[in-house]
Amino acid sequence: MTERFFSVSEEERQERNTLIRDSARDREGTFMATEIQIRQGDQIGGCVTIITYAGDGATVRLMIDYGMSLPGAEQKEEYEHDWEKEPVDAVLFTHYHGDHAGRFREIPARTRLYLGAASRAVMINIYQALAQARDQRTASSAREALAVLQDDIRIAEVKRDTPVAVGPVTVTGYEVDHSAYDAYMYLIETPDKTILHTGDFRGHGYRGKALLPMTNWYIRRNGRRDVDILITEGTMMSRRTEIVKTEAELQAEARKYFREHRYAFLICSSTNLDSLASFYQAARANGMYLYTYSNYVCQQLRTFTELAGARTPLYQFENVYVLRPDQELHHKMWDKPRKQKDVMREHGFLALIKPEDFCEKYINEFLDLKLVIVYSMWDGYLKPEEAAYIRKWDAFLKRQQAKGVEVKHLHTSGHATAEQLTQLIKEVNPREAICPIHTEHAEGFYELELPQELKERISWKGDCGVLYKRAMDERLS
């Protein structure tokens, strides 16, 4: 499985591509072409991109992401790839969210899986927790997933700006800002096409300001390298009325809010590193400790502290405790043991919970205080008119409000705004095609403030078969 894969330096990559192109010019009549297929691109989540290069008697096929459709998606059946008829050499995962990587167990063992080191660690944490589930089917499935994720031969680590050769095709991953840490966009260079696949990205997180300079310097090489085809997410094209805060603005607002609301519960994804860091830093600035509903969350925070915290103290989580209100605590400064709930009352707290019945007991313990719940998830989950509406979440929050608990909505998107999409498209300036995916409103790309020549390159066919295909000698002639 490994003999087709090897790392190459930038100089080796350029030399290989030059030799391949020159060789192609010498072989009259040789058909060499890159084919792109987009599956389920007309929905948010569950998108699959297949890039096939055929030439010189060899075929290389890469897949980018193989995840599950999100709840409420119009797609009733998932795309099922024919692994026998169209074998895949490598699957490149952009990040660890389930709508991008959730179906990795279905991929044949002969296919190599690429993902970042932090993404792999986060996914291992998730499945180690699920392996402890009381439901035997869930536990068994999780153990199968762990066997894949812990296989050092099957899993290949994506390292930023480090090219990997798969036959005549070169793949390079570049880190991007997203609500999932360790997210990547991929540059795929075949002998006849240069393709950039953005994955999910944004420009308003803590790492977002690096997006355009990184694109110019590492991908475009200050204009010395052209991109033929840009495949880009467009989640926010159907949500353009949403007010999008930066993560820095989110932290500042939370810090101010916690001055007057020191007894706070938080509903936020356990893998949304930036927002967790925003709320943690805001609570810490007000002398509040962070508590969580499970050991699993503590493990994720330890992973983020080890891997992301090594690069910046922003992502270092200290003094995080599992919620056990009646647990007796000991401290050398105390004359006698104290219960956790008494310490929480004295110092204030930020407690990460889930909007589910088992967490209600924690709220009930402190109903005599001025409690708040900070909801930091997409508001669409609480709106009955949305296809992704989660009834039990909505009912949970309304039940707490009936008890006098204030619910504060404080969230920012993990996806690029229309303005950020416009900036990236202009920076990449693809020569041939712009292909929107991960969107319910691809037509909105024509409304972006783009030059007419770029608008004319927008190519959209929804859940299509062959999206783009051209013989190499058309360009060389």
Side-chain angles (χ1 to χ4, degrees):
M1 180 175 67
T2 60
E3 58 191 23
R4 283 166 65 92
F5 304 83
F6 54 91
S7 297
V8 294
S9 67
E10 175 63 17
E11 292 76 13
E12 290 172 327
R13 180 196 65 77
Q14 292 178 351
E15 183 178 359
R16 288 175 68 252
N17 286 352
T18 299
L19 289 172
I20 290 170
R21 287 189 171 96
D22 289 345
S23 176
R25 288 189 177 94
D26 295 336
R27 292 193 299 270
E28 294 183 5
T30 299
F31 180 80
M32 306 181 74
T34 296
E35 174 184 295
I36 301 172
Q37 297 181 58
I38 306 291
R39 299 294 184 178
Q40 299 178 180
D42 54 351
Q43 64 183 39
I44 298 172
C47 307
V48 180
T49 302
I50 304 165
I51 299 173
T52 306
Y53 172 74
D56 198 23
T59 298
V60 173
R61 184 172 291 109
L62 305 176
M63 179 180 287
I64 302 177
D65 288 339
Y66 200 62
M68 300 175 289
S69 296
L70 292 173
E74 292 184 4
Q75 191 77 24
K76 301 304 179 184
E77 295 183 3
E78 300 282 12
Y79 165 67
E80 297 292 342
H81 186 72
D82 191 335
W83 302 98
E84 295 300 322
K85 185 178 179 180
E86 297 185 346
V88 174
D89 293 286
V91 177
L92 315 168
F93 293 110
T94 57
H95 60 283
Y96 50 70
H97 283 160
D99 62 317
H100 292 259
R103 299 176 66 195
F104 69 91
R105 283 169 292 173
E106 302 174 25
I107 300 171
R110 65 176 179 270
T111 302
R112 205 153 196 204
L113 310 179
Y114 281 79
L115 70 163
S119 288
R120 183 184 186 187
V122 167
M123 292 173 70
I124 287 174
N125 290 341
I126 291 171
Y127 287 102
Q128 283 180 334
L130 291 173
Q132 305 302 314
R134 294 181 180 179
D135 180 75
Q136 289 304 306
R137 178 178 293 183
T138 299
S140 176
S141 178
R143 287 192 290 270
E144 292 175 4
L146 283 171
V148 176
L149 291 169
Q150 294 173 333
D151 186 341
D152 291 335
I153 296 177
R154 179 89 187 278
I155 303 292
E157 180 183 341
V158 177
K159 297 180 180 179
R160 62 184 183 276
D161 193 30
T162 302
V164 173
V166 186
V169 179
T170 302
V171 178
T172 312
Y174 298 94
E175 280 186 300
V176 292
D177 180 46
H178 182 44
S179 54
Y181 181 71
D182 198 33
Y184 286 88
M185 62 171 55
Y186 288 107
L187 186 73
I188 297 96
E189 297 172 278
T190 73
D192 69 323
K193 288 288 180 283
T194 298
I195 305 160
L196 181 64
H197 188 294
T198 68
D200 287 356
F201 76 97
R202 63 179 182 178
H204 50 272
Y206 290 117
R207 290 155 287 130
K209 63 183 179 181
L211 175 66
L212 297 180
M214 179 271 292
T215 302
N216 176 57
W217 179 255
Y218 289 98
I219 295 174
R220 290 298 315 281
R221 303 294 184 190
N222 281 330
R224 296 192 302 275
R225 174 162 62 194
D226 290 320
V227 172
D228 297 310
I229 303 164
L230 172 64
I231 303 172
T232 176
E233 76 126 304
T235 309
M236 295 297 287
M237 296 309 298
S238 57
R239 305 175 183 175
R240 294 186 69 171
T241 59
E242 289 187 19
I243 298 174
V244 178
K245 299 180 175 69
T246 67
E247 283 289 350
E249 290 170 340
L250 185 77
Q251 181 183 156
E253 188 172 343
R255 182 179 297 201
K256 182 178 179 180
Y257 185 72
F258 290 155
R259 290 175 193 161
E260 303 297 328
H261 302 84
R262 298 182 50 76
Y263 305 105
F265 290 93
L266 172 64
I267 296 173
C268 180
S269 169
S270 61
T271 60
N272 186 342
L273 173 58
D274 270 21
S275 289
L276 289 172
S278 293
F279 289 114
Y280 171 79
Q281 298 295 346
R284 187 179 182 186
N286 284 281
M288 301 156 62
Y289 291 118
L290 179 63
Y291 298 81
T292 82
Y293 62 88
S294 74
N295 285 310
Y296 153 73
V297 178
C298 286
Q299 180 57 44
Q300 291 290 32
L301 296 179
R302 283 193 290 269
T303 295
F304 286 137
T305 298
E306 176 185 352
L307 299 178
R311 300 168 70 176
T312 170
L314 172 67
Y315 298 139
Q316 294 174 3
F317 297 86
E318 301 174 348
N319 300 320
V320 181
Y321 307 97
V322 177
L323 276 167
R324 299 189 181 101
D326 289 318
Q327 180 183 31
E328 285 196 344
L329 306 176
H330 300 264
H331 194 282
K332 62 182 180 181
M333 301 297 293
W334 299 342
D335 294 332
K336 58 182 180 181
R338 302 179 64 188
K339 289 190 174 182
Q340 185 187 78
K341 60 186 177 184
D342 296 327
V343 176
M344 293 172 71
R345 287 173 177 271
E346 178 180 346
H347 295 282
F349 60 83
L350 177 65
L352 182 64
I353 61 170
K354 298 182 74 173
E356 297 183 8
D357 292 347
F358 79 92
C359 283
E360 194 159 3
K361 61 180 179 288
Y362 303 125
I363 296 172
N364 292 339
E365 183 68 50
F366 301 99
L367 283 177
D368 58 311
L369 302 175
K370 183 182 177 183
L371 293 182
V372 298
I373 296 176
V374 177
Y375 178 81
S376 189
M377 303 280 281
W378 181 48
D379 281 344
Y381 295 134
L382 306 179
K383 296 179 179 179
E385 66 272 19
E386 291 284 352
Y389 173 63
I390 304 178
R391 185 180 301 275
K392 67 178 182 179
W393 286 18
D394 189 23
F396 178 91
L397 289 174
K398 287 178 177 175
R399 200 161 59 243
Q400 310 319 311
Q401 288 177 307
K403 300 173 187 176
V405 179
E406 177 180 324
V407 176
K408 170 76 170 178
H409 291 248
L410 193 52
H411 178 59
T412 192
S413 175
H415 299 275
T417 64
E419 180 183 1
Q420 292 161 2
L421 285 169
T422 300
Q423 291 171 342
L424 181 72
I425 292 171
K426 288 180 177 179
E427 189 67 53
V428 175
N429 191 26
R431 298 194 300 177
E432 298 179 10
I434 300 166
C435 307
I437 64 169
H438 205 276
T439 182
E440 296 172 346
H441 186 50
E443 297 85 352
F445 275 70
Y446 293 105
E447 302 167 7
L448 297 177
E449 295 183 7
L450 295 170
Q452 185 60 32
E453 60 267 26
L454 282 176
K455 288 187 177 183
E456 292 173 356
R457 297 170 195 167
I458 296 172
S459 175
W460 174 246
K461 295 184 180 180
D463 184 25
C464 64
V466 177
L467 175 71
Y468 195 90
K469 183 175 182 178
R470 180 177 294 182
M472 181 177 178
D473 48 8
E474 288 183 20
R475 273 182 56 192
L476 297 178
S477 61

